[in-house]
Amino acid sequence: MALVYFHQMNSKAQIPPDPDWWRRAVVYHIYPRSFQDSNGDGIGDLLGIRQRLDYLQDLGIDTLWLSPTFSSPQRDFGYDIRDYHTMAPEYGTVEDMDALIEDVHARGMRLVLDLVMNHTSDEHPWFRESAESRTNPRADWYIWADGKDKRNPARCPPNNWKSMVGGRAWHYSPQRQQWYLASFLPFQPDLNYRNPAVHEAMLAVVRYWLDRGADGYRLDIFHVLYKDAALRDNPFSWRLIPTEENPAGLFQEPRYNLNQPETITFARTLRKVVDEFLPTRFLVGEVAGNLDQIRGLCGGDAADGLHLAFLFQTLSTPLRAEPWRELITEAEAKFAHPLLPTWVFSNHDRVRSFTRLGEDTQKAKLLALLQLTLRGVPFIYYGEEIGTAQHDLPLASALDPVAHMYRWVPRFLLPFLKQRFGLSFNRDECRTPMAWTAKSADNYGFTSGANPWLPFALNATHANVETQEADEHSLWHFYRQLLHLRRETPALNSGGFELIDIPASQRKSLLAFRRTHPKGDVSIWLNLASKSLQIPVGDAQILARSALVPFDGTLGSWSGVVVSG
Ligand code: GLC
């Protein structure tokens, strides 16, 4: 039945049963290459994901986001798309994707795809054609420009823009005697959204997968989509390392190549396209900038842009009460209803949260408690629920193309950069295969083949599903408990939010807030310090606690509780 309904697309007469489902969603981010291999080639695939749907459903997940599985030379592991309409053979076929969508829907769950709109692979037929001449029908599908030096076109790029990963963003094509822009890596040329044909072609891709039943998209580096029409030089900046709030870095302020006003207009266009579909779909943007810019991409007061956008400030906010109170206050102010914040702590590009927390399970439970009780949509990265740690792998043998660019960084600096800035130059380290069983000799149940594409996390002997399920006090059990509590408690999944005032003497350690709902309020108290604290919750019912010892009015070090009222 569910299936029949999900394929009745575009019928405006259908009243969606739950237009707000995405507001209550908990999204689980799967890196398909590393989740479950079904055919013994050491690479995860779509059928493997289907085989693990029971696990995800039991855990309490309702929405899956898959990193890209489209046809790709895999030089950036799928973020370099060669064909938006077919699957990379190592992941399966379009029919496998259809079957996955069906299985997901049959469980009342949702599936969100990852759309890379800013660029394609340089092997995409669009780029191949575009690169051939200055006059071919796709000549203006990418951002081409003449070099600054008219006499020697190959000598100077058109302007000073830098790529997001360092180095110049322009690459010379002897064939066209022009430069093309690549905001990320050289083999990922940027599409030209000022060309209406590109605009239309990408909207057709958006519609294509929504028609096939996808429930929405995560939009890759969405804030990069439009560039200054006149390709003006960026101003100098003293900053070396960009932060979440401020993308200026590498001695440049990206004034003309990031967060252009036209991207906001495009966000609204996309929203209209997505709104053509019923049941409701949603868009979440991978963006960077301050919260005002991100709010703009969501449509500001009108809330008619992207449904959601990642607030990566979470990744650099230390686990202490004051900085968290500040971030939550700002996110609540900027993303007040009908907007909604997102809460994300790990992904396939960043140092895993378990490692940032010093591989401390108590702190990981506390962070899960925070993530799953705040107002907003939580994004859980596969393996986060079992405490998978970041690996420590040499840059020299990395598969990640970004790691190759940074092979020169001295090894002794890496732990500092990881700890202080959450910077990992080798993204292989956070993409290790999921460990399902406790048997390392059997590749932890990830693959029946001999060679998983990457090694397992160093803590996989403990951070695997089998071991975690067997221990009732494990991180996994706590996630599961919280996910089910969130789903069953209206205050947690759709309630309002208010901070609880904390006496000055406790403000440095204690963070507390209330989720309000006509069916009953719930309060969350978190001790983000190592000294125990008394908290005034009287005889309220304890709905969840992160500490092993029963709660008696005192919050032990690094622990939290959810209580009624
Ligand atoms: C995003 C993706 C990253 C990818 C890059 C280029 O940041 O998360 O994995 O390499 O965009 O598409």
Side-chain angles (χ1 to χ4, degrees):
M1 240 348 259
L3 280 186
V4 174
Y5 181 73
F6 270 101
H7 284 285
Q8 285 171 343
M9 304 304 167
N10 270 328
S11 114
K12 294 264 180 204
Q14 279 280 339
I15 304 297
D18 182 4
D20 281 342
W21 66 269
W22 58 274
R23 294 181 172 278
R24 288 192 298 277
V26 175
V27 183
Y28 188 92
H29 172 193
I30 291 179
Y31 196 68
R33 215 172 176 81
S34 292
F35 198 58
Q36 176 67 62
D37 175 20
S38 73
N39 61 359
D41 64 359
I43 295 175
D45 46 45
L46 295 170
L47 183 56
I49 298 171
R50 280 175 72 195
Q51 291 167 352
R52 293 298 181 185
L53 291 180
D54 280 345
Y55 166 80
L56 293 164
Q57 193 172 19
D58 169 67
L59 180 60
I61 299 296
D62 49 70
T63 304
L64 309 180
W65 147 34
L66 307 190
S67 278
T69 52
F70 304 104
S71 167
S72 157
Q74 305 292 342
R75 289 175 72 189
D76 191 18
F77 296 106
Y79 286 91
D80 48 335
I81 296 175
R82 182 162 48 198
D83 178 359
Y84 290 92
H85 299 99
T86 56
M87 294 288 117
E90 56 266 63
Y91 298 131
T93 59
V94 170
E95 288 69 39
D96 290 329
M97 178 56 95
D98 288 344
L100 175 62
I101 293 175
E102 272 192 32
D103 278 6
V104 166
H105 287 169
R107 288 159 196 266
M109 293 164 73
R110 311 277 203 313
L111 189 88
V112 171
L113 299 182
D114 200 324
L115 196 57
V116 187
M117 300 180 132
N118 177 67
H119 47 265
T120 64
S121 156
D122 58 0
E123 291 185 24
H124 195 294
W126 295 343
F127 186 71
R128 292 218 155 134
E129 190 177 340
S130 189
E132 264 166 26
S133 68
R134 296 183 185 203
T135 52
N136 71 76
R138 292 214 163 81
D140 292 333
W141 276 49
Y142 292 81
I143 303 180
W144 293 97
D146 293 332
K148 267 188 178 157
D149 183 339
K150 296 285 170 263
R151 272 174 307 175
N152 181 358
R155 203 168 76 91
C156 288
N159 66 24
N160 69 352
W161 294 356
K162 289 195 172 138
S163 120
M164 295 169 79
V165 282
R168 58 161 68 135
W170 294 96
H171 305 278
Y172 188 69
S173 151
Q175 218 170 342
R176 275 184 62 142
Q177 301 200 351
Q178 271 190 318
W179 299 71
Y180 70 86
L181 184 74
S183 294
F184 209 75
L185 290 158
F187 54 82
Q188 292 163 317
D190 284 29
L191 284 159
N192 174 17
Y193 279 87
R194 295 185 187 277
N195 179 342
V198 171
H199 204 270
E200 279 316 303
M202 201 46 85
L203 295 186
V205 171
V206 169
R207 290 192 174 98
Y208 180 83
W209 289 103
L210 296 182
D211 261 327
R212 283 197 103 96
D215 294 290
Y217 294 108
R218 176 263 190 193
L219 303 168
D220 192 65
I221 51 169
F222 188 74
H223 60 301
V224 187
L225 231 55
Y226 277 83
K227 287 91 192 171
D228 179 47
L231 304 179
R232 277 171 284 185
D233 276 329
N234 278 330
F236 175 81
S237 153
W238 283 106
R239 289 165 58 90
L240 172 63
I241 299 186
T243 54
E244 309 307 336
E245 282 285 313
N246 184 350
L250 308 166
F251 301 111
Q252 192 167 99
E253 183 204 321
R255 189 182 295 172
Y256 295 117
N257 56 339
L258 302 186
N259 283 316
Q260 300 301 294
E262 293 89 335
T263 310
I264 296 184
T265 313
F266 188 67
R268 293 205 160 99
T269 306
L270 262 186
R271 174 67 174 260
K272 286 207 186 88
V273 169
V274 168
D275 283 350
E276 291 164 11
F277 289 80
L278 290 175
T280 308
R281 320 300 165 91
F282 88 98
L283 298 168
V284 54
E286 186 206 18
V287 296
N290 61 44
L291 294 193
D292 282 316
Q293 286 169 317
I294 298 175
R295 176 184 154 77
L297 290 168
C298 293
D301 283 344
D304 59 354
L306 307 182
H307 297 74
L308 297 167
F310 293 135
L311 310 180
F312 288 131
Q313 281 76 358
T314 46
L315 297 169
S316 51
T317 302
L319 195 58
R320 292 204 309 270
E322 299 275 31
W324 266 98
R325 193 161 21 242
E326 243 171 69
L327 177 60
I328 294 168
T329 305
E330 204 193 344
E332 276 296 324
K334 300 272 156 70
F335 293 87
H337 187 82
L339 296 176
L340 196 61
T342 56
W343 301 107
V344 47
F345 294 100
S346 296
N347 66 31
H348 63 298
D349 297 327
R350 303 304 190 95
V351 175
R352 277 188 175 269
S353 64
F354 195 63
T355 296
R356 292 203 316 271
L357 296 172
E359 302 195 13
D360 180 328
T361 301
Q362 230 178 320
K363 288 183 185 168
K365 285 185 177 174
L366 198 55
L367 198 65
L369 187 61
L370 181 63
Q371 183 185 31
L372 296 174
T373 56
L374 282 168
R375 188 182 74 91
V377 175
F379 284 74
I380 299 171
Y381 184 48
Y382 81 98
E384 209 167 359
E385 75 278 23
I386 50 174
T388 300
Q390 182 86 357
H391 210 310
D392 186 18
L393 295 164
L395 286 173
S397 52
L399 302 179
D400 174 20
V402 173
H404 275 247
M405 295 181 60
Y406 289 95
R407 267 174 303 188
W408 51 270
V409 178
R411 207 176 155 80
F412 72 89
L413 270 182
L414 297 176
F416 167 73
L417 292 170
K418 259 181 218 170
Q419 219 38 60
R420 173 73 181 75
F421 298 102
L423 271 184
S424 159
F425 291 113
N426 184 356
R427 295 176 301 172
D428 293 351
E429 295 180 343
C430 61
R431 299 172 175 179
T432 56
M434 181 81 175
W436 296 99
T437 69
K439 292 185 206 71
S440 68
D442 290 339
N443 283 320
Y444 295 103
F446 166 70
T447 176
S448 58
N451 295 313
W453 79 287
L454 281 178
F456 289 89
L458 292 171
N459 70 344
T461 45
H462 180 73
N464 64 70
V465 174
E466 188 181 350
T467 304
Q468 296 269 317
E469 277 187 6
D471 170 7
E472 60 171 316
H473 299 306
S474 69
L475 182 59
W476 181 85
H477 273 282
F478 192 55
Y479 264 96
R480 186 171 179 277
Q481 184 197 354
L482 289 176
L483 285 164
H484 287 266
L485 180 67
R486 184 181 165 101
R487 174 174 296 173
E488 287 148 20
T489 314
L492 287 178
N493 63 45
S494 46
F497 178 93
E498 57 194 40
L499 273 175
I500 296 177
D501 214 18
I502 304 292
S505 61
Q506 292 186 327
R507 285 183 70 88
K508 275 206 153 88
S509 342
L510 192 57
L511 176 67
F513 51 89
R514 181 169 291 115
R515 301 295 313 279
T516 56
H517 196 278
K519 291 201 173 134
D521 296 351
V522 163
S523 307
I524 295 92
W525 297 79
L526 304 134
N527 178 3
L528 303 180
S530 46
K531 240 173 62 198
S532 300
L533 288 171
Q534 283 293 125
I535 57 166
V537 296
D539 54 3
Q541 192 195 346
I542 309 296
L543 302 174
R545 63 178 152 89
S546 72
L548 301 185
V549 288
F551 177 72
D552 61 359
T554 303
L555 265 189
S557 69
W558 302 106
S559 72
V561 284
V562 183
V563 302
S564 60

